[in-house]
Each structure stands twice: as C-alpha cells, then as structure tokens.
C-alpha cells in the first residue's frame, strides 16, 4: 500500500502514475515494461494509468504513489489515502482488436466489449490506434451500427420532456461555418427545443464551443444545461463537460493525430453524441468543395446514406443537407472574429456576412419544418421573420445571460499583418484548408483573438498590392509563422478580370 499524492500535471486524456525508482513496496524497475498499472483504493475505486518512474524525491517519496490530474480526478480519493498498485490485466477485448486487424468482421458483443474497455481507459494509445486503423481498413454497416450503439450505452443519456428535440451538426472542415450559433436562437425563438452540445477545436481554428465561449460560459454541468434549456428552449454548451459518448472523446484524441477520419467513424461519432444528448430529429450539414472534407457529390451521397441507415435503426430522424463549400463561410476565421460575424448576423447589421446569414436561414428552415405543426414550405419565411424581427437576437442574449459570462474578456489580436494580392484579377478560388492552417499558426483557437479577417471573397475584384485578408495574432512569434506560411501560399487564386 502506498500513500496517494496529487501530481499537478495535465497529461491530457492519459492518466500517469508516478512511483519513486527506489520504492521497495512496488519495485518499479521490475514493472517498467508494463503498458498499464491498476490503482485501487477505498470502496474498490480503480483507475488505470501508465507507469512513470521518478528519480526526483521532490515528485514522490518512496512510500507515495503520484497520480496526474486526470488520474487523481478519476479515482476521486483525497491525498494521503492508502492505495494499492498492481500490474493491470490486459483487456480481453484486445483479442477482438487483433481479429479486426486480420480482417475479421466483429460481432456486436465484440464491439461493445471493446468500447466499454476504451471508455474505462483500459486501452493504451497504441491499443486504440490498432483498433482505429483496423476499423478504418474495413467496417460493415452492421459493425458501424453496433459501434454507434455501444458508444451511446457507455455514457450518460439525457432525456427531455418534449416529444420533439431537434439538433443540427456540420461534419466540419470549413472555416467560419458558425451557423449553429445563429440556428439555435432562431429555432428556440420559434419554440422547438434544441439543446446544442458542441466540441472544442482539435485541428481547426475554432470549434463552436470555442467561439461561443467568447460570448458566454460553455462548461456547464448537466443540471445547469437543463436549467438553461428549460428557460430558453436551447443552449450552446461544451459537450465534454456532460459525459456524452465518452468513448468517442477518447478515440478522437488518437484518430485526429493519426489523420484517420473515415465515413464510418465520423457517423458513429456524430450520431452517438446526438442520441446521447436526447435528440429525436437531426439536420446534418455535409459541405462539399475542392478543399473540404468531402470533395464530390458522389462521396456526399454515400455519406448521407450511412447517416440515414444508422439513424433509422436508432430511431433518430435524419435530414441531410449537402451544401456548397467553395470558400470559408463569413469573414472571420478564429473564435473572436467568428463571434463577431455571428452577432453581426443576429443584429441584422448592414455589413453582416450575407453567406453566413443565408446558410443559417436555410438550415434553420429545415429544422423548423421538422415540426409537425409547421406547414410545408413555410420554414424559411418563418426563420427569416424570427431573425429580422430581433426575436432570435433576444433568444441568444437570454441564452448567454443564463449560461453566464465567459471566463475572461477575449480581445482581437493586436498584432496584424496584411496579405496582399500579387497581381490584378478576380478572386476565383479560396483554399479552406490552407487558410485554416494559417489561422492556426497565428494562434487560433488557443488565443481566441487570433485568426484571419477576410477582406475579399470569391468573385471580388482586387488590384495588385491590395490586401485580401488580415492576420491577427497575440504573439510576435506566431504572427511570424502565419506570415511566412501566407508568403509561401496565400490560399487565394486570381483570374484575369476582363471587365471593361
């Protein structure tokens, strides 16, 4: 038995156990090859962790066991508690992972056992990578359905009193596409319940939760989320705080760095979260464009059919919108800039981005028409009325007030660099992937005020030396990185302007 010590190190999704090299009660040198150790304490509480050997007695004494912030929080015992450390028994479900790598089709039970072990953090990152790569190679629709159902079953599932609970999700990949923050207040003002749980960015310059956090608090508990939804019929919160489909969050942390983003894993990820959030009806936005996640209509149709197949079997009504994605939506890329665009649309300002407004209205209309009481074909008119009258703005302001103020005031990055056109011409193409990368190099989304302010969009005529966008950053080093990337490739293509 060792004494528990909290090690104030954030090890992200992985729990780390620290043991002194000279600990006689465990002899860590004999166990250094272990992938995982089991830490148990009072009441049978257990956490699995990776083993790290400490040579500095300032980290842990020879009678102590240190746990990183993640492991300490999961174990839920006070410092000084007596805990036992032992080699972790390898999960039996790993045999199914090995079968999947060999091309075997797994049963529902096999997949459920894998997901349960993932959710309980019994897999190392290497084990997770093996499962994800094996699944990416080949997955049947029955396996996809089993994976989605298993991911729903191992987390919390929210239930609402309303018969119709709607939601909207975009598969991502398009900078500035913050339609959810306009759709939620429109739909809630209409009277439908739309409890929106959103993610923080992993590889993009901003997620919906990052952008909403510029305006209001997003890390609400389940009870706080319920209160906001009961009062406002909608919310925009960070899903990571309400434990919906926790296995998905763990898998995403590994699949994103590996660049694994298959249709099957995407569908399982999105639909598991939506069913767990209690949604009954879902509009899915699939942007299609030359630099989007989905490049062609045929791929979009195949993805749509996967959503419909799984949705039908889960009892979730799916409406898929295949939308054009030739350029970023709105004019801002990065949380502060995107929040500016959202509020500009909600306030019906003269200079509000027309593409962000129109796409939000089109998608809000599809959601409103999910209401049995709405006459077919009237959804768009109703959505526009709610936006133009200020009802949507009032709904958003109420949601912001009840969710609470943001953790701090976020300002637009004060360090700037203008990127100029090299020749005269008309903007004919914008590289979404390239522009998103430049915005991330500038510091977004960690620095909420970093990003790109687009001064020109597709179809605009520019002259040589004229600025096409402005990079914002909070730190000189990051501004330099973004500027250097823009000099290599600005992400804009120009064609000669043949107007007289």
């Amino acid at each position: 038995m060792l004494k528990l010590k909290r090690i104030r190190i954030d090890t992200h999704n992985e729990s780390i156990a620290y043991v002194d090299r000279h600990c006689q009660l465990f002899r860590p040198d004999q166990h250094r090859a272990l992938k995982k150790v089991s830490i148990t304490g009072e009441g049978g509480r257990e956490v699995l962790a990776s083993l790290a050997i400490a040579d500095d007695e300032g980290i842990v004494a020879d009678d102590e066991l240190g746990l990183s912030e993640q492991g300490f929080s999961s174990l839920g015992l006070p410092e000084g508690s007596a805990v036992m450390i032992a080699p972790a028994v390898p999960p039996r479900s790993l045999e199914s992972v090995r079968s999947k790598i060999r091309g075997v089709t797994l049963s529902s039970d096999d997949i459920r056992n894998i997901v349960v072990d993932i959710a309980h953090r019994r897999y190392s990152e290497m084990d997770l990578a093996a499962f994800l790569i094996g699944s990416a190679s080949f997955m049947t629709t029955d396996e996809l359905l089993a994976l989605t159902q298993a991911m729903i079953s191992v987390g919390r599932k929210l239930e609402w009193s309303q018969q119709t609970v709607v939601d909207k999700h975009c598969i991502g990949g398009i900078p500035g596409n913050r339609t959810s923050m306009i759709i939620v207040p429109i739909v809630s003002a209409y009277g439908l319940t739309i409890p929106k749980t959103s993610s923080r960015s992993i590889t993009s310059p901003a997620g919906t939760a990052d952008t909403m956090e510029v305006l209001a608090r997003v890390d609400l508990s389940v009870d706080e989320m319920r209160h906001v939804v009961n009062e406002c019929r909608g919310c925009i919160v960070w899903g990571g705080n309400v434990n919906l489909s926790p296995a998905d969050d763990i898998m995403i942390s590994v699949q994103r760095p590996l660049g694994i983003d298959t249709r099957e894993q995407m569908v399982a990820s999105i639909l598991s979260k939506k069913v767990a959030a209690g949604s009954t009806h879902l509009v899915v936005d699939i942007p299609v464009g030359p630099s989007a996640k989905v490049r062609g209509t045929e791929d979009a149709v195949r993805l749509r059919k996967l959503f419909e197949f799984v949705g039908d079997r889960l009892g979730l009504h799916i409406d898929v919108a295949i939308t054009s994605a030739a350029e970023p939506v709105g004019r801002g890329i990065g949380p502060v800039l995107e929040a500016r665009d959202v509020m500009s649309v909600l306030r019906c300002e003269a200079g509000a981005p027309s593409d962000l407004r129109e796409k939000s209205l089109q998608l809000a209309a599809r959601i409103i028409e999910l209401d049995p009481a709405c006459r077919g074909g009237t959804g768009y008119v109703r959505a526009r009325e709610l936006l133009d009258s200020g009802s949507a703005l009032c709904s958003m302001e109420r949601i912001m007030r009840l969710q609470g103020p943001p953790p701090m005031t976020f300002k637009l990055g004060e360090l700037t660099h203008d990127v100029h056109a090299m020749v005269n011409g008309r903007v004919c193409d914008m590289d979404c992937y390239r522009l998103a990368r430049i915005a991330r190099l500038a510091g977004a989304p960690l620095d909420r005020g970093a990003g790109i302010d687009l001064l020109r969009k597709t179809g605009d005529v520019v002259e040589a030396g004229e600025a096409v966008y402005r990079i914002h950053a909070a730190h000189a080093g990051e501004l330099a990185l973004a500027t250097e990337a823009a000099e290599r490739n600005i992400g804009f293509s120009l064609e000669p302007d043949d107007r007289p």
Side-chain angles (χ1 to χ4, degrees), residues 166-167 182-194 232-233 363-365 367-368 383 386 392 395:
V166 299
D167 205 346
I182 299 167
I183 290 169
V184 168
I186 290 175
V187 171
S188 59
Y190 172 78
L192 288 174
T193 298
I194 181 164
C232 304
R233 292 186 292 273
L363 292 172
I367 296 175
I368 288 172
L386 291 164
S395 180

Side-chain angles (χ1 to χ4, degrees), residues 1-7 17-26 28 51-52 54 56-67 79-81 83 85:
M1 302 291 284
L2 298 172
K3 291 185 295 185
L4 179 63
K5 181 178 180 180
R6 181 179 188 177
I7 306 297
Y18 300 86
V19 179
D20 182 77
R21 185 181 297 278
H22 305 293
C23 175
Q24 295 301 307
L25 298 176
F26 182 63
L51 178 64
D56 185 345
E57 63 182 13
I59 298 175
V60 284
D62 62 5
D63 63 343
E64 291 179 323
L65 181 138
L67 274 178
E79 281 195 283
S81 299
V83 293
I85 180 172

Side-chain angles (χ1 to χ4, degrees), residues 118-163:
I118 290 173
H120 287 86
R121 299 187 181 275
R122 294 173 185 142
Y123 275 25
S124 67
E125 287 194 352
M126 185 169 62
D127 297 332
L128 264 173
F131 173 63
L132 292 168
I133 293 170
S135 299
S137 300
F138 176 73
M139 177 173 276
T140 67
T141 51
D142 285 340
E143 286 178 308
L144 167 59
L145 178 59
L147 177 63
T148 310
Q149 291 171 325
M151 290 164 66
I152 295 167
S153 69
V154 298
R156 174 185 280 121
K157 189 173 187 301
L158 303 181
E159 295 182 356
W160 307 94
S161 59
Q162 294 83 358
Q163 188 172 0

Side-chain angles (χ1 to χ4, degrees), residues 102-398:
R102 295 194 300 270
V104 174
T105 298
L106 301 182
S107 70
S108 297
D109 287 343
D110 291 334
I111 291 175
R112 175 173 171 76
N113 291 336
I114 290 170
V115 171
V116 167
D117 284 337
I118 290 173
H120 287 86
R121 299 187 181 275
R122 294 173 185 142
Y123 275 25
S124 67
E125 287 194 352
M126 185 169 62
D127 297 332
L128 264 173
F131 173 63
L132 292 168
I133 293 170
S135 299
S137 300
F138 176 73
M139 177 173 276
T140 67
T141 51
D142 285 340
E143 286 178 308
L144 167 59
L145 178 59
L147 177 63
T148 310
Q149 291 171 325
M151 290 164 66
I152 295 167
S153 69
V154 298
R156 174 185 280 121
K157 189 173 187 301
L158 303 181
E159 295 182 356
W160 307 94
S161 59
Q162 294 83 358
Q163 188 172 0
T164 301
V165 179
V166 299
D167 205 346
K168 169 263 173 187
H169 188 89
C170 175
I171 68 166
I174 305 301
N177 195 22
R178 292 283 78 84
T179 57
S180 292
M181 293 176 62
I182 299 167
I183 290 169
V184 168
I186 290 175
V187 171
S188 59
Y190 172 78
L192 288 174
T193 298
I194 181 164
K196 178 67 178 167
T197 59
S198 302
S199 62
R200 295 188 186 276
S201 165
I202 296 178
T203 58
S204 67
T208 298
D210 301 310
T211 306
M212 185 64 182
E213 197 169 43
V214 173
L215 306 174
R217 179 174 161 239
V218 297
D219 59 340
L220 277 63
S221 67
V222 171
D223 288 342
E224 290 171 325
M225 177 184 170
R226 286 188 183 281
H227 173 68
V228 176
V229 173
N230 288 337
E231 293 294 319
C232 304
R233 292 186 292 273
C235 68
I236 305 170
V237 303
W238 175 47
N241 224 38
V242 292
N243 197 36
L244 305 177
S245 188
D248 180 51
D249 294 328
I250 297 169
M251 287 191 281
I252 284 174
S253 70
V254 173
Q255 72 186 45
R256 290 286 171 83
L258 289 174
I260 299 172
D261 196 12
T262 67
R263 293 192 300 267
E264 291 78 12
Q265 288 165 357
M266 181 191 301
V267 169
S269 171
I270 293 169
L271 296 190
S272 66
K273 285 242 169 70
K274 297 310 175 186
V275 173
S279 300
T280 60
H281 295 69
L282 173 68
V283 170
V284 179
D285 175 19
I286 302 180
V288 178
S291 54
K293 282 185 179 181
V294 179
R295 304 294 173 91
T297 303
E298 287 186 7
D299 285 341
V301 170
R302 283 196 292 268
L303 182 56
R304 186 202 78 199
K305 290 183 177 181
L306 275 183
F307 273 112
E308 292 170 346
F309 169 81
V310 178
D312 286 349
R313 282 149 184 81
L314 296 176
L316 178 63
H317 180 95
I318 299 281
D319 177 22
V320 175
I322 298 175
T323 58
S324 174
E327 63 178 356
V329 180
R331 295 195 174 274
I333 304 175
V336 168
L337 290 162
E338 293 178 25
R340 174 204 66 187
D341 286 355
V342 165
M343 295 309 297
S344 179
V345 170
L346 287 171
R347 290 170 181 148
C348 299
E349 294 173 355
S354 58
D355 56 347
L356 178 60
R357 171 188 163 94
E358 182 60 24
K359 184 170 185 180
S360 300
L361 286 173
Q362 292 285 353
L363 292 172
R366 295 178 83 127
I367 296 175
I368 288 172
E369 293 205 4
L370 295 173
D371 178 14
C374 177
R375 293 185 63 83
T378 62
Y380 183 86
V381 172
R382 191 72 185 100
R384 189 177 60 195
E385 287 173 351
L386 291 164
L387 182 59
D388 291 344
S389 68
S391 296
L393 176 62
C394 289
S395 180
M396 181 61 152
E397 289 174 340
R398 192 174 186 203

